[in-house]
Amino acid sequence: MTQGRDQLSRLGWDEGFAAAFDAIAEPDLQPARVGVEHNHLYRVYTAVSEPLASVAGRLKHNAVGASSLPAVGDWVAIRPSTEGPAQIRAILPRRTCFSRKSAGNVTTQQVVAANIDTVFLVSGLDGDFNLRRIERYLVAASQSGAMPVVILNKADLATDVEEAVRTVRASAPDVPIHTTSCEDKRGIEALLGYLEGGRTIALLGSSGVGKSSIINRLLGYDRQQTRTVRQNDKRGRHTTVHRELLLHPRDGVIIDTPGMRELRLWDTERALEATFDDVDALAVGCRFRDCRHRTEPGCAVRQAVTDGKLSADRLAHYLQLGDERVGLQQRRDELAQLTDKQRVQGVHRAPRQVPKR
Ligand code: GDP
Ligand code: ZN
């Protein structure tokens, strides 16, 4: 049992999740973490094994929006089965969560990954470097609740590493910045600290910036050779599925799921406040309280640009994100007009939807 406990904490289990789990008044449940989903079957990790699991009928029924279905990284309560897959009875409240808009018109949220503690926002210093993109990733990170860390990779190819660091720091003063190279391994060791204590990380960044290489360096082995698991689908056929939740040999969890590469803005509202504190602080001085910082007289934000206290680029980016926010707000207003029942269910309600016995 001691060993089992250890395995759970290596996966990120802690007192908070244990309390949420204990609050579910149902017998014969075990905690497990979702490793990958494939054809509505989930590979989950428990203290002692890696069973397949399917979603309990009741939980599935309640899943109006896909947000109440399990996602990679979720902690779930399963009921083991001797024949067939285990049953996922409840999703424990998510601490953090990356989601994206589902395809189609309705603004439903699809959870891409859950319970990520730290997200590495990776750029390459080989010409990929783009401050706007980093700011977009910061917005996504802020929405998710995960702590952002900027990684400037391919430092071996950079012409001026320090200049890139300064540029990011000016835009995001409170965010840790690391420069790394998967070629000469500089900066990689420092990243291991984010995995300590069984914590979970994930990586965001364009294709080709070196996310897979960083993962391999962190793991200490080449994942290409070990990344797949064989899985039985419902009809008993063998299929090959990429592992999306990787247990670090020493400590911590790395989540690497394709969905993280297709993230869109979902709710920039909260994120805007978090990432543009400087603009918000300036806006207090605008003559009009609802100033949009475009053509209004007495606009303290535009004045700050004139005075060189705020970069014109940064204001332009702020305004652009603001426009997207208005579009999202309109779609959410439409959504609010749906009946209560149709509305997307809050993930925090999931555990209480489990029928009590
Ligand atoms: P991903 O698409 O973000 O997962 O990127 P990959 O890890 O597949 O890397 C894309 C390419 O960049 C590969 O050819 C890597 O060998 C190369 N690469 C990754 N990191 C570095 C680095 O730090 N320096 C250099 N010079 N090349 C790198
Ligand atoms: Zn203004």
Side-chain angles (χ1 to χ4, degrees):
M1 193 63 206
T2 324
Q3 183 147 22
R5 276 275 158 225
D6 284 347
Q7 180 68 3
L8 276 190
S9 31
R10 282 187 69 209
L11 283 162
W13 187 248
D14 61 20
E15 283 175 12
F17 289 122
F21 178 79
D22 290 342
I24 306 169
E26 239 196 297
D28 307 326
L29 295 183
Q30 284 180 6
R33 195 159 190 197
V34 176
V36 66
E37 185 263 331
H38 184 67
N39 284 344
H40 306 296
L41 273 180
Y42 300 81
R43 174 70 65 185
V44 301
Y45 301 93
T46 74
V48 291
S49 63
E50 302 180 5
L52 282 174
S54 60
V55 170
R58 181 60 184 269
L59 182 64
K60 200 151 55 185
H61 181 73
N62 280 329
V64 176
S67 63
S68 13
L69 284 174
V72 176
D74 261 326
W75 281 102
V76 293
I78 62 163
R79 177 168 304 150
S81 166
T82 44
E83 50 205 64
Q87 254 196 2
I88 298 175
R89 304 289 301 175
I91 306 169
L92 301 191
R94 292 171 179 133
R95 235 167 246 175
T96 73
C97 140
F98 279 90
S99 52
R100 65 168 177 222
K101 280 178 283 178
S102 303
N105 285 332
V106 185
T107 313
T108 16
Q109 195 182 182
Q110 190 185 355
V111 175
V112 175
N115 300 319
I116 291 165
D117 296 304
T118 305
V119 60
F120 292 170
L121 313 176
V122 189
S123 301
L125 288 176
D126 55 345
D128 165 82
F129 182 80
N130 177 328
L131 187 62
R132 297 290 157 269
R133 197 186 299 128
I134 294 174
E135 285 178 342
R136 293 291 282 238
Y137 285 134
L138 283 167
V139 168
S142 171
Q143 288 165 240
S144 77
M147 186 186 94
V149 170
V150 169
I151 300 206
L152 305 175
N153 189 40
K154 306 198 187 183
D156 56 294
L157 299 178
T159 43
D160 193 344
V161 177
E162 284 315 310
E163 173 61 19
V165 172
R166 273 195 299 276
T167 305
V168 177
R169 183 158 292 139
S171 184
D174 302 326
V175 177
I177 304 166
H178 292 262
T179 54
T180 56
S181 166
C182 296
E183 284 297 311
D184 60 29
K185 298 193 192 177
R186 88 182 83 157
I188 299 290
E189 186 76 23
L191 301 183
L192 286 171
Y194 294 103
L195 287 160
E196 268 166 26
R199 281 182 297 158
T200 301
I201 65 139
L203 296 85
L204 267 182
S206 314
S207 175
V209 296
K211 295 183 298 298
S212 314
S213 308
I214 291 171
I215 291 173
N216 285 340
R217 289 292 182 209
L218 289 173
L219 289 171
Y221 58 83
D222 190 355
R223 190 178 154 236
Q224 302 311 115
Q225 284 138 29
T226 51
R227 69 192 298 184
T228 55
V229 282
R230 303 240 306 161
Q231 199 154 285
N232 292 313
D233 70 8
K234 276 188 185 127
R235 294 187 189 85
R237 288 179 307 210
H238 285 292
T239 49
T240 308
V241 178
H242 295 310
R243 278 183 195 275
E244 296 183 0
L245 187 148
L246 309 157
L247 195 52
H248 190 272
R250 214 161 69 196
D251 204 6
V253 171
I254 300 170
I255 286 182
D256 181 23
T257 172
M260 289 289 282
R261 281 164 216 151
E262 299 146 30
L263 284 180
R264 295 275 151 75
L265 285 180
W266 167 252
D267 179 1
T268 51
E269 208 159 356
R270 198 157 43 92
L272 266 179
E273 288 162 16
T275 325
F276 289 90
D277 285 348
D278 51 343
V279 181
D280 293 334
L282 289 165
V284 172
C286 293
R287 183 180 306 163
F288 299 106
R289 199 195 280 181
D290 59 353
C291 184
R292 291 169 65 247
H293 323 308
R294 289 176 196 267
T295 54
E296 292 85 349
C299 174
V301 174
R302 296 201 84 87
Q303 187 60 46
V305 175
T306 309
D307 297 345
K309 289 180 195 144
L310 177 72
S311 89
D313 266 12
R314 187 153 166 79
L315 175 59
H317 185 53
Y318 175 86
L319 294 175
Q320 182 205 331
L321 280 174
D323 291 342
E324 284 174 27
R325 181 179 60 173
V326 169
L328 273 163
Q329 189 60 48
Q330 279 162 0
R331 281 197 293 281
R332 283 204 288 150
D333 289 347
E334 288 160 23
L335 193 70
Q337 284 167 13
L338 299 172
T339 65
D340 267 353
K341 214 172 178 183
Q342 289 169 303
R343 209 176 293 163
V344 180
Q345 311 249 325
V347 290
H348 294 286
R349 285 164 57 188
R352 267 177 270 139
Q353 288 159 3
V354 173
K356 298 223 162 102
R357 289 202 158 187

